[in-house]
Amino acid sequence: MTTTEKQRQQQADLQKKLWDIANDLRGNMDASEFRNYILGLIFYRFLSENTEQQVEQLLAEDNITYEEAWQNDEYQDVLKQELIARIGYVIEPQDLFSHLVKKIENQTFEIEDLHRAINHIEASTRGEDSEDEFERLFEDMDLNSSRLGNTNAERTKLISKVMMNLAALPFVQGDMEIDMLGDAYEYLIGQFAATAGKKAGEFYTPQQVSKILAKIVTTGKKDLKNVYDPTCGSGSLLLRVGREANVRHYYGQEYNNTTFNLARMNMLLHDVNYHNFSLANGDTLEHPAVVDGQFEAVVANPPYSAKWSADPSFLDDERFSNYGKLAPKSKADFAFVQHMIYHLDDNGKMAVVLPHGVLFRGAAEETIRKYLIEEKNYLDAVIGLPSNLFFGTGIPTCILVFKKCREQDEDVLFIDASQSFEKGRNQNHLADEDVNKIVETFRNRETLDKFSYVSTLDEIRKNDYNLNIPRYVDTFEEEEPVDLDKVQQDIQDIDQKIVGLEEEINGYLKELGVL
């Protein structure tokens, strides 16, 4: 079995086990609610095992266990300092996931043990550099919720069952060819988004779409000073950029508090040290956490046509003031674009997923579009994606690519990938070859019959800055000519069959004495 086959097999086994756990245990709550418990406990197990690995290294030459060292004040102080410096938090021996599992096996576990252990993690970061990254990180995992049971005993029983099932997953076995924990996390986020519809889909960008954006903004670069996602969701898009190039610092902001917590967990789960990411919770347009930063890569999949205040005071905001118009109240798409462009470094690239409407809608959006093309010449490419790629919406989408210093500033590349997909039961999917074709066409900047077109700026002017892709990429397929003689013959054959069947039926009716 090749490494790739082994990876796929291990991923399939893992996903089946995880979904079985979810199906067995969700009981009185829907999938999106139970998600918080499963993901929170997976994350807690990760933090625990990460602590055990660090302690094992620290005590490698001392021939002493973590429990024994913790009883010694001198060892304890050194361990606390080292763990905070290395991973930003401390989990004491009695609070480790493995220790709690033993208590479950010995039937001495109470749900308060887990509650106390989680509180200890956050407490260990207070006053440290890592405090912001761990503050209220587990608040969505409400261990007192009646959804888990009406009594402490019921809640203890249910959480014990989840923990024992999760403990059986082979996250850190040496034979594993995959990022077991990261894959489990990603699968559950995606699966819950698929089953919970639009509400859950808001924090999840399909991996293949993330891959396209990541490959575009890292084209020609192996190392990025930073990357920024102003609507970062669970952070999957940021992390995908990190798979394509070395990213020295991740920046993001997320409006939804639960999703913001997921993003912080996701960063730590993927071994991004707390020193190397800065995520904020809040409204990017109304209350931006990033005010002056410039970023080498900017990516986003913002909520489509979201409402915003469009308060006239924003005309004095440097992010929007040069355009002369604000994005409409009912459609903030271009407000996100303007925010992102303001923070794009001169040598940077930006790729953003938006609804098709941004390509051709009039009024203020036309003014902004014209300014970006005619005055700034920042628009580099327009990529039309297949419909029904995203959870909870079938709306057709596109990717807009912007650069402040374009190498080829006399033209704009249009790609029509609307027909490049595999049909799925609920969503369509981009296959690897579809992703590669889009990325290669972008990188080669070439015109391909019925797929892409390099348009001059003059052509765009003649189209009144309407960027609707069919105006540039001709995908018209001529229908084959109809053979009228064959059609006539087919009709005659059918008529003869009808006559024959009628005679046969009449014969039966005569035998029955009906006729």
Side-chain angles (χ1 to χ4, degrees), residues 177-214:
E177 296 289 348
I178 60 174
D179 168 15
M180 205 43 126
L181 195 52
D183 277 24
Y185 203 77
E186 198 169 271
Y187 169 76
L188 279 172
I189 289 175
Q191 201 61 28
F192 281 126
T195 55
K198 190 174 182 179
K199 186 179 175 186
E202 72 189 20
F203 60 76
Y204 186 72
T205 304
Q207 281 298 328
Q208 295 292 63
V209 177
S210 295
K211 192 186 288 186
I212 294 171
L213 268 66

Side-chain angles (χ1 to χ4, degrees), residues 425-452:
R425 191 176 61 175
N426 298 318
Q427 274 86 41
N428 293 327
H429 306 284
L430 288 165
D432 285 344
E433 50 267 35
D434 298 323
V435 171
N436 291 338
K437 186 176 180 183
I438 292 169
V439 173
E440 287 307 307
T441 305
F442 169 79
R443 288 176 175 171
N444 296 330
R445 206 171 184 81
E446 56 188 349
T447 294
L448 297 176
D449 186 36
K450 301 187 189 312
F451 188 71
S452 63

Side-chain angles (χ1 to χ4, degrees), residues 52-90:
E52 289 180 281
Q53 286 177 354
Q54 296 296 330
V55 170
E56 189 178 339
Q57 292 172 14
L58 290 168
L59 299 178
E61 297 178 358
D62 295 76
N63 194 27
I64 186 172
T65 68
Y66 188 19
E67 290 81 359
E68 291 165 347
W70 199 255
Q71 299 304 317
N72 180 300
D73 290 343
E74 193 174 335
Y75 267 110
Q76 189 181 116
D77 287 343
V78 173
L79 284 170
K80 279 182 181 175
Q81 289 173 21
E82 283 295 322
L83 287 172
I84 288 292
R86 289 184 179 205
I87 55 179
Y89 63 92
V90 176

Side-chain angles (χ1 to χ4, degrees), residues 13-26 31 38 187-188 190-192 194-195:
D13 291 345
L14 171 68
Q15 290 170 2
K16 183 177 184 310
K17 286 178 184 171
L18 285 171
W19 198 236
D20 285 346
I21 291 171
N23 278 330
D24 284 344
L25 301 178
R26 43 193 168 192
I38 294 183
Y187 169 76
L188 279 172
Q191 201 61 28
F192 281 126
T195 55

Side-chain angles (χ1 to χ4, degrees), residues 308-507:
W308 74 307
S309 72
D311 190 286
S313 65
F314 279 121
L315 286 170
D316 297 324
D317 186 318
E318 288 187 348
R319 294 175 295 168
F320 312 106
S321 57
N322 290 334
Y323 297 80
K325 298 255 182 166
L326 293 173
K329 270 186 181 180
S330 59
K331 296 179 182 64
D333 305 306
F334 269 113
F336 283 110
V337 170
Q338 291 167 306
H339 172 88
M340 293 168 74
I341 283 177
Y342 180 76
H343 290 292
L344 180 65
D345 215 340
D346 285 345
N347 69 339
K349 291 192 195 76
M350 164 183 151
V352 54
V353 183
L354 295 164
H356 262 213
V358 301
L359 301 177
F360 50 78
R361 289 194 295 246
E365 291 178 287
E366 183 180 350
T367 303
I368 296 169
R369 204 164 52 235
K370 182 178 178 182
Y371 182 84
L372 286 169
I373 298 168
E374 194 62 50
E375 298 295 327
K376 291 301 193 182
N377 197 8
Y378 287 164
L379 181 65
D380 195 56
V382 178
I383 302 169
L385 295 173
S387 59
N388 204 27
L389 281 182
F390 294 83
F391 298 115
T393 176
I395 190 172
T397 53
C398 60
I399 297 171
L400 297 188
V401 183
F402 294 93
K403 296 180 194 171
K404 285 188 175 173
C405 298
R406 301 204 296 139
E407 297 87 1
Q408 287 132 319
D409 60 3
E410 296 296 321
D411 52 48
V412 174
L413 173 67
F414 288 80
I415 296 176
D416 183 350
S418 60
Q419 301 306 312
S420 304
F421 64 91
E422 291 178 343
K423 195 156 183 59
R425 191 176 61 175
N426 298 318
Q427 274 86 41
N428 293 327
H429 306 284
L430 288 165
D432 285 344
E433 50 267 35
D434 298 323
V435 171
N436 291 338
K437 186 176 180 183
I438 292 169
V439 173
E440 287 307 307
T441 305
F442 169 79
R443 288 176 175 171
N444 296 330
R445 206 171 184 81
E446 56 188 349
T447 294
L448 297 176
D449 186 36
K450 301 187 189 312
F451 188 71
S452 63
Y453 181 71
V454 180
S455 168
T456 64
L457 292 175
D458 200 41
E459 285 176 273
I460 295 174
R461 283 187 202 103
K462 286 176 181 171
N463 275 317
D464 294 325
Y465 305 94
N466 183 322
L467 303 174
N468 203 19
I469 296 169
R471 289 182 179 235
Y472 303 90
V473 184
D474 183 5
T475 57
F476 180 73
E477 295 277 359
E478 282 194 21
E479 292 184 11
E480 289 188 12
V482 178
D483 185 343
L484 292 175
D485 290 338
K486 184 174 182 307
V487 171
Q488 196 168 21
Q489 184 60 51
D490 289 344
I491 292 172
Q492 286 175 359
D493 291 346
I494 292 169
D495 286 342
Q496 284 178 0
K497 282 184 183 176
I498 291 172
V499 170
L501 287 169
E502 284 178 345
E503 287 175 352
E504 190 177 340
I505 292 169
N506 286 338

Side-chain angles (χ1 to χ4, degrees), residues 41 100 109-118 143 159:
L41 286 169
L100 297 183
F109 173 76
E110 296 286 340
I111 199 166
E112 287 81 5
D113 295 330
L114 179 61
H115 206 174
R116 186 176 56 249
I118 287 169
L143 297 175
I159 286 296

